[in-house]
């Protein structure tokens, strides 16, 4: 079955630095990847939809200049949190549709200190 | 916008009892529903799904019921076990390749 590999699983960074999170589709071509964020004790909220070869579509309230999404190939979508702040500390997870099934990456725990 | 919500934020059940977790959705166009389990520190784990042309689907110890008339979804867990303790999310989707919309989540605590 389709597998989405997400890396890193955990990262700690200093405030003001940038962090890149990668999602790779291992055995299928992902034209679309969805990026979610989950704060502690809250639900998963859609941040943006990543489209291969075109600009990502961001949800209302998500800063596109802060959360840079790149989907340059059919097997890789990346989310870069720029100038990270402690309030960006969260669980970030990607997801992809393949057929009629949705596949999630393993998720990335970001802690900004 | 339309959203998926839950009636109960927390649920405590005795080990061996049956659990029922409820979810209300508001988008009448949604045609695909999924229940996820999320354990602490992990990503969501698929439990069971149901499409809008069905009103009931059974898995191993779990049953999902869909009532389109009142836009209600429920997850029933039979003979609840300590390993079932987690946060459960319902999610809805429509029109195929569109993002899932998640409900707020219910924390299930199993009392041994």
């Amino acid at each position: 079955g389709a597998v989405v590999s997400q890396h890193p699983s955990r990262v700690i960074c200093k405030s003001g630095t940038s962090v890149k999170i990668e999602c790779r589709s291992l055995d299928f071509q992902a034209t679309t990847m969805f990026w979610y964020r989950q704060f502690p004790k809250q639900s998963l909220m859609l941040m943006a939809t990543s489209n291969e070869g075109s600009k990502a579509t961001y949800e209302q309230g998500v800063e596109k200049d802060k959360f840079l999404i790149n989907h340059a190939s059919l097997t890789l979508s990346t989310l870069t949190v720029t100038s990270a702040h402690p309030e960006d500390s969260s669980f970030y997870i990607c997801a992809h549709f393949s057929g009629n099934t949705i596949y999630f990456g393993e998720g990335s725990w970001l802690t900004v200190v | 916008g339309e959203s998926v919500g839950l009636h109960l934020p927390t649920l405590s059940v005795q080990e061996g009892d049956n659990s029922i977790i409820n979810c209300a959705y508001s988008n009448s166009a949604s045609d695909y529903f999924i229940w996820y389990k999320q354990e602490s520190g992990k990503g969501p784990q698929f439990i069971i799904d149901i499409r809008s042309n069905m009103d009931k689907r059974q898995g191993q110890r779990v049953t999902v019921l869909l009532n389109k008339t009142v836009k209600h979804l429920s997850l029933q867990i039979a003979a609840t076990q300590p390993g079932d303790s987690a946060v459960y999310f319902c999610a809805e989707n429509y029109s195929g390749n569109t993002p899932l919309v998640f409900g707020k989540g219910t924390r299930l605590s199993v009392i041994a």
Side-chain angles (χ1 to χ4, degrees), chain B residues 13-19 61 77-82 84 108 110:
Chain B
V13 298
Q14 289 289 135
E15 181 179 359
D17 288 351
N18 297 333
S19 302
R61 282 202 306 119
I77 304 174
T80 312
Q81 303 169 0
D84 295 327
L108 176 65
V110 181

Side-chain angles (χ1 to χ4, degrees), chain A:
Chain A
V3 176
V4 178
S5 176
Q6 186 169 346
H7 177 82
S9 58
R10 293 183 181 273
V11 57
I12 300 173
C13 71
K14 291 184 178 180
S15 184
T17 62
S18 296
V19 174
K20 179 185 287 187
I21 300 170
E22 297 185 347
C23 271
R24 293 182 181 275
S25 53
L26 299 184
D27 58 359
F28 62 95
Q29 294 181 332
T31 56
T32 302
M33 193 75 78
F34 302 112
W35 286 94
Y36 290 86
R37 175 170 58 184
Q38 184 181 31
F39 291 111
K41 299 183 179 180
Q42 295 187 27
S43 186
L44 288 84
M45 297 299 294
L46 180 69
M47 297 178 65
T49 301
S50 165
N51 301 298
E52 187 270 333
S54 64
K55 292 182 179 180
T57 304
Y58 290 82
E59 296 299 300
Q60 189 174 9
V62 178
E63 300 176 57
K64 63 179 182 180
D65 295 329
K66 180 173 179 62
F67 298 98
L68 301 179
I69 290 176
N70 185 279
H71 197 151
S73 77
L74 289 171
T75 59
L76 177 64
S77 177
T78 62
L79 167 67
T80 301
V81 183
T82 64
S83 187
H85 291 282
E87 55 264 33
D88 297 325
S89 298
S90 184
F91 180 67
Y92 295 85
I93 190 166
C94 60
H96 171 73
F97 263 103
S98 180
N100 290 321
T101 305
I102 300 167
Y103 296 93
F104 283 94
E106 299 94 336
S108 299
W109 291 96
L110 171 63
T111 302
V112 184
V113 297

